[in-house]
Amino acid sequence: MALLSTMDIPAGFSPERVRLEQMNSDYSWIATIRRIREPGNSIRNEIDFVCFHKRILIQDDEQLYIHPTAFEAGQPVAYLNYEDTDKPKPEKDDYVFDAERCFWYRIIDVVDDSANDQFVLTLDRNARRNSTSLMLVPQVVDVYPRKHYSEPAP
């Protein structure tokens, strides 16, 4: 939302270029924050901004999938177990969220291991931590990691 200025325009001002902006409701965003305790009880906050396009919040779209090794630290794959649920439809370039550790990964390949009721998802990078909770999140355009900031010890 833009604020209206109450300042007068200087006499003789002649703009060379004008830019009009309008809010676009097709895009939305969220921030996910990982709070990590540091030595001395300070807290480091790591923030990711996630941009969505035409996001519709439907409960079934963001279902949590549990697998004993959904993410393994240092491995560029994730396992999406669909044994007890309707079979999801992960696709290349979708995003997957580590719901236990709060990390985002882009899917670069999908293999349906139907013999084990799971998808093997190749990720854009190695998983940072072990986790058992995975969530497919539709309509993600991109994830923008920000530099972390620290809070002093309480």
Side-chain angles (χ1 to χ4, degrees):
M1 177 163 76
L3 299 175
L4 297 177
S5 173
T6 59
M7 298 173 48
D8 293 329
I9 296 175
F13 174 75
S14 178
E16 293 181 19
R17 188 182 312 178
V18 176
R19 178 176 164 173
L20 299 175
E21 293 187 13
Q22 180 179 351
M23 186 173 157
N24 186 336
S25 60
D26 286 349
Y27 293 92
S28 60
W29 63 274
I30 62 169
T32 54
I33 304 171
R34 292 176 297 281
R35 295 177 58 85
I36 302 164
R37 288 224 179 262
E38 298 279 287
N41 287 331
S42 64
I43 298 172
R44 184 177 77 231
N45 296 293
E46 297 177 345
I47 305 170
D48 294 324
F49 290 97
V50 184
C51 179
F52 297 92
H53 183 248
K54 296 187 178 180
R55 184 178 188 202
I56 300 170
L57 293 174
I58 299 172
Q59 184 176 357
D60 293 341
D61 278 351
E62 297 180 1
Q63 181 171 343
L64 190 63
Y65 298 92
I66 305 298
H67 188 282
T69 55
F71 296 96
E72 291 185 63
Q75 299 299 313
V77 295
Y79 300 94
L80 189 161
N81 183 348
Y82 55 82
E83 179 180 23
D84 299 326
T85 64
D86 291 335
K87 189 173 182 178
K89 297 175 185 145
E91 295 181 10
K92 181 180 174 185
D93 291 328
D94 282 351
Y95 276 82
V96 64
F97 179 62
D98 173 351
E100 185 178 344
R101 304 291 185 181
C102 202
F103 291 106
W104 292 89
Y105 303 95
R106 183 185 307 227
I107 300 170
I108 60 172
D109 193 31
V110 178
V111 175
D112 187 355
D113 180 6
S114 56
N116 293 310
D117 293 325
Q118 68 182 7
F119 287 103
V120 180
L121 310 174
T122 304
L123 308 175
D124 63 338
R125 58 195 161 89
N126 291 342
R128 290 187 52 192
R129 303 278 302 272
N130 291 339
S131 176
T132 60
S133 303
L134 179 148
M135 183 182 295
L136 286 175
V137 185
Q139 291 103 18
V140 174
V141 174
D142 209 347
V143 176
Y144 303 95
R146 302 299 300 165
K147 291 183 179 179
H148 65 269
Y149 69 94
S150 296
E151 298 175 16

